[in-house]
Amino acid sequence: MKRGRDGRQAENLPKIRNIPLYAYGLLAKLVGAVLFAVISVLTALFLLLLRLLRRKWPVFGNLSRMLVAFSCRLLIFLLRCIFFMKLKVTDENKKKLKALRSAVIVANHPSVLDMPVLLSLVPRASLIIPPKSRFPLSLLKGLYPEASSWQGMLSACRADIARGGNIIIFPERHLTPRSGTNPYRRTAARLSQELGCPVQPLYIGGSDKRGLGSPAAPLAYCRTGLYAYEVKLLPQIPAGSYGEMKEREASVAITKKMHDEISAEAYLSDYQIV
């Protein structure tokens, strides 16, 4: 980082390699925002219809989750079709993600597209919905576990895990800053301890996410080509790890372990410190 003329820290950004491609990227970003809005509205209408039929339709939850997963896959597919982004996942990791059951998934959070990317890749996945969530997350209330209270969230997550579902958590809670990181919260570690399920760390890497991450830059796009997303599975942290420690000490150790795994992969793959 360096200081600009106004005294504030300015980003040390690479030069734009291809100005026409950069201009197209800004246009594709606008188109992507429209696609996201349209798909969100259509998904909301279908979810509303399913809610109206909820009492007469015992498979409401399964159909709703399938609808959300399909919407995310459709969005990512369309964004790739307009050459806004590219997604790289090895065949081995794809198979492991499809076979993943009853795990707490944790990942770094470099951009606003991380949630649809993971929901498109991980079957039977649930998110923790913040108590004061905004659109479009507010549409998912009642479908996924809510963080309104610890016991309520724990009970909902236990039901998901018992059905073979996976819980996705971004332990930073907020978007990962382009330089540095946010403190990791212990929620994922505590859930792993309470539910007796493993923690599966993921690393979301690829190109710089300027324009989609933190700090927000609405009229910015990746300067080195397309937005590249590369999702990598890291070694699992088994259930019962650090069982010889007290509960709080164990949750701190598990949280540090997941951060160390993600941070090491970030530096190894992209020379990033997160």
Side-chain angles (χ1 to χ4, degrees):
M1 304 290 286
K2 61 182 180 180
R3 290 193 176 275
R5 293 181 179 179
D6 58 359
R8 294 178 301 178
Q9 285 188 331
E11 293 179 294
N12 186 18
L13 297 172
K15 293 182 179 180
I16 299 174
R17 294 181 180 178
N18 188 319
I19 293 179
L21 179 61
Y22 187 81
Y24 174 80
L26 293 176
L27 176 62
K29 185 176 180 180
L30 176 61
V31 174
V34 173
L35 289 173
F36 177 79
V38 171
I39 291 174
S40 296
V41 170
L42 291 177
T43 302
L45 291 176
F46 278 107
L47 284 175
L48 179 60
L49 176 62
L50 291 176
R51 285 181 189 278
L52 294 176
L53 298 172
R54 182 174 185 173
R55 294 181 180 178
K56 300 180 181 179
W57 215 337
V59 291
F60 161 78
N62 291 336
L63 285 175
S64 299
R65 293 180 187 218
M66 289 173 60
L67 173 63
V68 173
F70 173 77
S71 298
C72 291
R73 286 195 293 270
L74 177 62
L75 174 64
I76 298 303
F77 172 76
L78 293 176
L79 292 179
R80 295 173 70 183
C81 285
I82 64 173
F83 301 102
F84 174 76
M85 62 171 287
K86 52 186 177 181
L87 177 62
K88 180 180 179 182
V89 188
T90 65
D91 291 338
E92 181 183 1
N93 281 344
K94 284 181 180 178
K95 291 179 181 178
K96 288 181 178 179
L97 286 170
K98 288 183 179 179
L100 193 60
R101 299 289 186 277
S102 301
V104 177
I105 299 171
V106 296
N108 57 316
H109 197 8
S111 81
V112 295
L113 285 179
D114 301 335
M115 182 181 72
V117 165
L118 292 186
L119 285 175
S120 71
L121 291 172
V122 183
R124 302 175 180 85
S126 295
L127 298 166
I128 303 295
I129 306 299
K132 295 181 179 180
S133 54
R134 298 180 179 179
F135 181 86
L137 278 181
S138 59
L139 300 174
L140 306 179
K141 285 191 174 183
L143 179 60
Y144 295 132
E146 294 183 47
S148 53
S149 70
W150 171 254
Q151 289 302 324
M153 181 180 71
L154 183 62
S155 177
C157 289
R158 180 176 282 114
D160 273 359
I161 291 295
R163 292 193 294 264
N166 304 293
I167 309 295
I168 297 175
I169 295 178
F170 297 107
E172 294 175 84
R173 190 173 179 179
H174 304 291
L175 290 173
T176 306
R178 297 181 65 251
S179 177
T181 186
N182 299 310
Y184 273 39
R185 296 172 180 264
R186 295 185 294 119
T187 305
R190 291 180 64 192
L191 282 176
S192 172
Q193 290 176 290
E194 293 277 359
L195 303 177
C197 58
V199 175
Q200 175 61 70
L202 298 179
Y203 172 62
I204 303 174
S207 65
D208 182 78
K209 304 301 188 292
R210 183 175 185 269
L212 294 179
S214 179
L219 298 179
Y221 185 78
C222 176
R223 293 184 172 226
T224 56
L226 302 181
Y227 284 118
Y229 283 78
E230 187 169 5
V231 179
K232 295 184 178 181
L233 273 77
L234 305 178
Q236 274 195 5
I237 305 174
S241 296
Y242 309 99
E244 70 282 357
M245 296 181 178
K246 293 182 180 180
E247 183 177 345
R248 178 179 174 79
E249 293 175 346
S251 66
V252 171
I254 293 171
T255 303
K256 183 179 183 303
K257 176 69 173 177
M258 67 176 72
H259 187 195
D260 289 346
E261 293 283 355
I262 293 173
S263 180
E265 185 60 41
Y267 188 77
L268 181 66
S269 298
D270 300 314
Y271 302 103
Q272 296 288 326
I273 298 176
V274 301

